[in-house]
Amino acid sequence: MTSSVNSVVHDDLQGDLQDLQGRLHAALDGRLDGGLYTDDASRSLWSTDASIYLRRPEGVVVARSEEDVRLALAAARELGLAITPRGTGTSLAGQATAPGLALDVSGMCDILEVDVENRRCVVEPGVIQGELNARVASDGLVFGADTSTSDVATLGGMVGNDSAGMRSVVYGTTADQILSLRCILANGETAELRPMAREEAERRARENEDAEAVLLRGALEIGERHHEEIRRRFPEMIRRVSGYGLDALVEEDTVDLTRLVCGSEGTLALVTRAELRLHPLPAHRALASFQFDSLALSARATVELLEEEPSAIELLDEVAIRAAREAPAYRESTSFVRGEPRALLLVEWSGDKRDLDRRFEGLEELGNRVGATEVVPLRGSAEMAQTVKLRKSTLPLLLGTNNKEKPVAFVEDAAVPPDRLEEFITRFEEIVHRNGTWACFYGHASVGTLHVRPALDTREPEGVARMRRIGEEVAALVRELGGSISGEHGDGLSRSEFLTMLYGEEIVTAFGEVKRLFDLGGVLNPGVIVDVPPVARLQKMDENLRIGPGHKRLPLKTGLDFSAQGGFHHAVELCNGSGFCRKKSGGTMCPSYMATLQEEDTTRARANMLRSVLDGTLPPEELTGDRMKEVMDLCVGCKACKSECPSQVDVASMKTEVLYQTGKEHGFSLRQKGAGHVRRSLALASKTPRLYNALASTGLARRAASLAGIDSRRNLPKVTEKVFSRRFPRLPQGAGAEVALFNDTWNEYQRPEIGEGAVRVLAAAGARVSLPEVVCCGRPMLSEGLIDEARKNARRNLGLLTPLIDAGTPLVGLEPSCILTMRDDYAKLLPGDERVAKLAGLTRLFEEALLELTDAGAAPDFKEGPPVLLHGHCHQKALVGTGPMERALALSGAEVETVDSGCCGMAGLFGYEKGHYEASMQMGERKLLPAVRESEDREVVAPGTSCREQISDGAGRRALHPAEYLGNRLPR
């Protein structure tokens, strides 16, 4: 009986939702520059931010213009829907999750004006902070509130949270940068807000009836009514972003309504334009690391170090340092750390070089005075860049473990006056230990703001109970020490309920008055900061948890082994939503997002989609459904997420698993089977190479290939007339140690000259090169989801290579994706096979093998080569880096320039397929192809077969493999 009643209720609710969504489409379809999305998958993709919370919207509007914002707000108001603005969703307190209509303004990303002379700019809310700073850096300017998420954080989101960064002791918070805000209010009116003299504000409030005047009149009355309590309750701190900035209403000389909106988390107004203050960029910056035996000692030293007028003091504890040391991609960022300190302070000074020189001359003495055990100067740009990388990666690194208890963000940005920091840390540690757990401490010591994340398992009721106890105890501690429960990330769903404890009943009453002044109907992000009865109630910190008690997990027998990540579910849940994959430049992740700038093409979206299926938010059949296919479609399997995402979310393997599950459910297509077994096809073509090559150049062949799913604009691959294995016996050999060459498909059947060059170079370095029998590595099969076939090939290769494994002979690969499949993917195919780890330890990229030989004293006698433009292969960059290749190429005396090109866009068969050509070319045109065209005086070098094909198709240049380039430098 209960089951049937629940079914009826569910059907009624589903019908109501569909009716609501139908009315949304009726109101907005055909009118938006952006788009409206109400399908279940899109609602899931926008249901989370970087916090521990999940609120699924009824619909999503991706706005491209101010008019889109107006239309979305009008539709929400008409339908009685809440509306919540968000940028890139990097919020840590849940305020960017939406219970009604999610309004994504990250597409409103124009820098409208830069006024260098007056040090100001005008931006739309979706402008990325780092992009603004890159734009104004050449003019010697900077936007001062520099957050650790600068590569992805939008300025609109920073206004919403009143964000800051490591240099807030100099620049303050975002509120201190605002000159004016253009806002759309909940009733649809536009208000232009700016700071003004109190006399002017009072006059405008008396004499005008426009939106700004109405707000001024109400705000002045609130300020007057609560003047004494505001003065008494609001702590004098740089980093106080909890509640609304009521102190801006009681200043003697000015009234600034922008300080109400800034930090209001989208609850008061929708900002569509911001005029911001810029600052002179310091001539020089320099860092020093001060190491300590305890957190308390580092906090005590902070007070003394502040007397030295630093521009930043950042704290890192042993947990953060250890997490970075254990992550291969981030290990180098800790190279300056000596020994095993309990805590360290990264202290930055800015200014004139001579002043910095004098300061650093006395660095050791300063370290002794503040009790540091080690002081390490960090003045080089590369050294300082590593510390920035370390700071930015701390949270995702901590979350990227498969431990049941993970550091949880809910009290992560409490702030106290710096002179109370030592007591705060000491007592915070006591709270954590009393509740039976541990925590990571790091953050902005210069302004008393720490990011503290206690480790908890929120899937267990006791874990959630401990979270509440810790939250309540920390809130009480902050109040006692005269601090703020939030110094940077806002109140959101984590801390709004503690505002009464922090400020008292009268101030919270004033907050409610401000909310009703701006948003009488309570449509803007309800449930955050203040109660708006009967529209919404204040959300509690332990509600709407993304992973909470009773969290479901769909049973799934996977083709790949994900035990290293704790299972497939854990691998998916490693994505914490921090949005690193939304960066638009630098590195490789995520090439599809860099090309399309669409949320659904991010690494985060793919993980979100999978999580939604696994936890039951979406039905099980969606795992192999059309929408999953769409979200996964533009993933090129580059593996950059495995290294560049600090949480090491391996979406490339997840896509392989999805393709496998889909193939099992619906069958594999002929195209997939053909692509997966490409070695077999090329072997057949090589039987009659001249005939095949002649036919491949014809329009008929292109049309036939088109029927098989190949885009007709692509040149079909050719085969060599004499395969590499037939050429190998005649190649020269060295007399030294043996290395084996993995004869990959492309070397054997298409570009044997690469193998010839490799053997000649390795022989010149003294190596005896053998050519063991092998089959395909399995990478093409994995790219198509043919896991069972890839497993058979992996097992066959292990058998064929057993003598090599037993002898400890290095196996050298020329195609990075092939040899790195053995190193990285075989463990997922053949778990428990001891030979897998042994073989992985023997695999070498060509450049790794060459450097080992030359380090042993057998350097080839290269002629000096022409300058090189190097494009690294994605898998090479993700798992090894381009450093070894750069050093190998430099053995010829060549100048090597490595282009920061990300993915070439071809990615095996991806760029050949119909429906992918445009995206493939967009990826290539982002940086790689223009760089090739502009480097006519350089030899283009690319180790990847598909990369060379993309360069040929897109730029008309023949790129060489590094083995070819170096082989050409040997005397004949």
Side-chain angles (χ1 to χ4, degrees), residues 191-348:
E192 304 276 355
L193 306 181
R194 61 183 174 83
M196 61 181 67
R198 180 165 287 274
E199 289 184 1
E200 181 187 356
E202 291 172 347
R203 178 182 57 77
R204 282 191 54 76
R206 287 193 308 269
E207 297 177 1
N208 294 275
E209 290 298 330
D210 58 15
E212 183 191 36
V214 172
L215 293 177
L216 281 169
R217 188 155 56 244
L220 288 168
E221 291 172 359
I222 293 169
E224 183 177 351
R225 187 157 54 248
H226 302 286
H227 185 280
E228 294 303 322
E229 189 70 357
I230 293 171
R231 288 287 191 193
R232 187 171 75 86
R233 285 285 196 169
F234 274 64
E236 292 291 333
M237 296 172 58
I238 295 174
R239 302 295 284 273
R240 175 191 49 73
V241 301
S242 275
Y244 299 133
L246 300 183
D247 51 334
L249 305 182
V250 296
E251 296 291 330
E252 291 185 7
D253 300 322
T254 62
V255 175
D256 186 359
L257 296 188
T258 68
R259 287 185 175 265
L260 288 180
V261 173
C262 189
S264 66
E265 305 176 29
T267 64
L268 298 184
L270 304 177
V271 176
T272 59
R273 189 171 298 185
E275 181 186 12
L276 303 171
R277 181 178 286 109
L278 300 172
H279 295 271
L281 195 62
H284 297 278
R285 285 174 174 152
L287 278 169
S289 170
F290 294 75
Q291 297 185 183
F292 299 89
D293 286 336
S294 73
L295 276 167
L297 287 172
S298 69
R300 186 182 308 166
T302 297
V303 179
E304 291 189 63
L305 288 167
L306 283 170
E307 297 175 2
E308 302 296 318
E309 299 181 333
S311 49
I313 303 178
E314 297 288 286
L315 180 145
L316 290 169
D317 77 351
E318 60 183 330
V319 178
I321 296 166
R322 185 168 60 248
R325 280 177 163 173
E326 292 174 354
Y330 290 85
R331 191 172 296 135
E332 190 178 350
S333 66
T334 65
S335 59
F336 64 91
V337 181
R338 297 176 180 174
E340 303 289 337
R342 289 291 311 282
L344 61 81
L345 295 175
L346 292 170
V347 185
E348 180 194 79

Side-chain angles (χ1 to χ4, degrees), residues 64 74 101 149 181 301 509 609-610 645 701 741 816 820 831 853 937 943 946:
R64 304 287 181 194
L101 190 62
T149 53
L181 294 176
T509 296
M609 185 74 179
L610 280 169
C645 170
L741 188 68
L820 292 176
L853 292 167
D937 59 333
S946 57

Side-chain angles (χ1 to χ4, degrees), residues 47-55 92-95 97 409-410 467 492-495 540-547:
S47 65
T48 60
D49 53 12
S51 73
I52 59 176
Y53 299 102
L54 183 151
R55 292 193 294 177
L92 285 162
Q95 59 268 61
T97 61
F410 64 102
M467 182 173 75
L493 309 184
S494 299
R495 292 173 283 274
K540 302 299 183 182
M541 68 175 298
D542 47 8
E543 297 177 332
N544 299 302
L545 295 176
R546 188 194 309 187
I547 300 175

